[in-house]
Amino acid sequence: RAIRGRVRSQRERPVTDLLQDCFEALEEGDSGYYPAVSNMGSVVVAGMGRRFVALSLDWLMSWAVGSMIFDQGSGRPFWLMAVFFLEIVLLTWLTGASAGQRILGLTVKGFPDQLPLGLGRIAFRTLLILLVSPAVVFDSEGRGLHDRIVRSAVYRKAKAN
């Protein structure tokens, strides 16, 4: 977004503006701030809003499944994370997207070649997501640190003009 002739960085923007833009991006399907990689033919790098909602859906589904399988106990949080890990890894490996990503029309592919990821890269990417920090640190291209490390990106189909 241009402010007085220059693009304002994510750090300079108030949190309320960032949240509003995330939901606008979710509704509009616009990656917005990442012109360097946002338009790559028929797919674009997905915006933060869609990716956050997809991750939340994955956690909720994993929690629901894990809660049906595992009793309340001291080891339950570990098993819930294991269910999340398996859900993300298996579905991304088999279909190119987790359940939450599939619902929102997103897919995970290699960057910049857009080729499917192998099982090892998917497992490592998911492990980094579980560490949280790599998943919340983004670069100017809109890719999380976990995506940069494994050379991947989350894409969505571009709108037809």
Side-chain angles (χ1 to χ4, degrees):
R1 305 226 183 224
I3 306 294
R4 294 185 191 156
R6 69 180 181 94
V7 176
R8 215 185 330 177
S9 73
Q10 294 287 347
R11 288 186 200 154
E12 295 174 327
R13 304 184 66 222
V15 173
T16 54
D17 286 353
L18 288 173
L19 290 173
Q20 180 64 33
D21 289 345
C22 285
F23 288 108
E24 285 176 10
L26 179 61
E27 291 170 5
E28 298 171 12
D30 183 13
S31 61
Y33 299 108
Y34 318 113
V37 295
S38 64
N39 190 359
M40 302 175 75
S42 63
V43 295
V44 294
V45 174
M48 287 190 307
R50 283 182 188 265
R51 291 175 11 200
F52 176 76
V53 172
L55 182 65
S56 299
L57 289 172
D58 287 328
W59 271 113
L60 285 172
M61 287 184 267
S62 297
W63 176 82
V65 169
S67 295
M68 288 187 282
I69 297 171
F70 303 105
D71 292 333
Q72 295 275 359
S74 61
R76 186 174 181 200
F78 169 79
W79 292 112
L80 293 179
M81 284 197 317
V83 169
F84 175 80
F85 180 83
L86 289 173
E87 183 253 331
I88 300 294
V89 170
L90 291 177
L91 290 178
T92 304
W93 183 48
L94 295 172
T95 68
S98 67
Q101 290 169 336
R102 178 74 50 201
I103 290 168
L104 293 174
L106 305 176
T107 185
V108 179
K109 296 180 183 175
F111 182 85
D113 57 13
Q114 296 185 25
L115 295 175
L117 298 178
L119 183 58
R121 285 172 66 189
I122 293 168
F124 187 55
R125 179 182 183 275
T126 307
L127 183 64
L128 291 171
I129 290 171
L130 287 173
L131 295 176
V132 178
S133 293
V136 297
V137 176
F138 289 87
D139 64 7
S140 62
E141 297 172 334
R143 295 169 50 223
L145 183 58
H146 63 293
D147 282 326
R148 288 194 63 87
I149 291 170
V150 299
R151 298 179 327 275
S152 67
V154 179
Y155 298 97
R156 67 168 178 81
K157 289 186 180 181
K159 285 184 186 179
N161 290 335

